[in-house]
Amino acid sequence: MDQVRRELGDCQRCKLCSGRKNIVFGTGNPRAELVFVGEGPGENEDLQGVPFVGAAGDLLTKMIEAMGFRRDDIYICNVVKCRPPGNRNPEPDEIAACEPFLRAQLAAIQPKVVVALGKFAAQTLLRDSTPITRMRGAWRVYEGIQLMPTFHPAYLLRNPAEKRKAWEDLQAVMKIFGKNPGSRA
Ligand code: URA
């Protein structure tokens, strides 16, 4: 993983480098069995250099803990490592520039399960343009690793009624780890 970070260096491979304060590479256990992949850093993440530390991050942390894990147990990273201005969606050229590093991170970790948070993570890793509303909740395989697509926590903050479905998806992940799925909604 250190080698992947070194290779990324002071990255100037796409235009996102001009507006960033920090590269948000990833955080957690580089030998994790479970990895969460988000979209890209927001304002707080850019300032701190750590993924998922804003409002969506608080919800993700709650979801992780409800699953019986701690943030330190798992690994968290994003499709793009630099903040898109004004939190706009990452553009195809930006995703293309950053994707090799995401793939290298997952290759270094070799987790048992990847949870793809939202359409950018799911569509990028699976090279599948199916909407996340249709992809979520069904196991997929990414490079021999089981992958569960689910909703992005920022989407859940805007659409709390969808939390139940996301929790179902995470319960399927817990089963793989022998964690006891309760009835939390
Ligand atoms: N949303 C993401 O997709 N990633 C982050 O790191 C923070 C918010």
Side-chain angles (χ1 to χ4, degrees):
M1 186 62 80
D2 291 346
Q3 197 190 319
V4 181
R5 181 63 190 87
R6 274 197 300 277
E7 227 165 279
L8 184 64
D10 182 29
C11 185
Q12 318 269 326
R13 292 171 183 82
C14 87
K15 58 190 178 298
L16 294 181
C17 67
S18 60
R20 74 166 178 241
K21 298 223 165 32
N22 286 291
I23 293 178
V24 181
F25 180 68
T27 190
N29 179 357
R31 276 185 274 277
E33 292 199 310
L34 176 59
V35 176
F36 288 80
V37 179
E39 178 181 322
E43 185 179 16
N44 291 294
E45 290 79 14
D46 177 53
L47 288 171
Q48 295 184 42
V50 180
F52 284 100
V53 289
D58 289 344
L59 178 57
L60 179 62
T61 302
K62 278 190 202 152
M63 288 157 63
I64 290 164
E65 289 175 355
M67 292 173 75
F69 292 95
R70 294 170 311 137
R71 267 178 75 118
D72 290 352
D73 298 331
I74 56 139
Y75 193 83
I76 308 175
C77 60
N78 284 303
V79 172
V80 296
K81 311 298 191 227
C82 298
R83 183 192 182 200
N87 296 348
R88 66 157 169 75
N89 289 336
E91 293 175 355
D93 60 313
E94 297 157 358
I95 293 173
C98 223
E99 183 182 343
F101 295 93
L102 171 61
R103 290 179 180 272
Q105 283 173 300
L106 295 174
I109 300 171
Q110 286 290 328
K112 200 186 251 188
V113 175
V114 172
V115 176
L117 298 166
K119 80 164 188 175
F120 288 97
Q123 293 183 348
T124 301
L125 288 172
L126 298 171
R127 300 194 197 288
D128 178 341
S129 60
T130 305
I132 189 69
T133 45
R134 278 209 278 131
M135 257 197 282
R136 65 143 283 274
W139 284 109
R140 302 286 295 262
V141 178
Y142 163 80
E143 302 282 340
I145 300 165
Q146 297 194 81
L147 184 146
M148 175 58 75
T150 193
F151 292 129
H152 191 286
Y155 171 83
L156 296 175
L157 288 175
R158 295 191 302 271
N159 300 276
E162 300 286 54
K163 282 186 189 173
R164 183 178 301 276
K165 288 181 197 154
W167 181 238
E168 280 170 19
D169 304 344
L170 297 181
Q171 283 181 315
V173 173
M174 287 162 67
K175 256 197 184 156
I176 303 250
F177 291 98
K179 304 241 183 212
N180 186 20
S183 58
R184 205 172 180 281

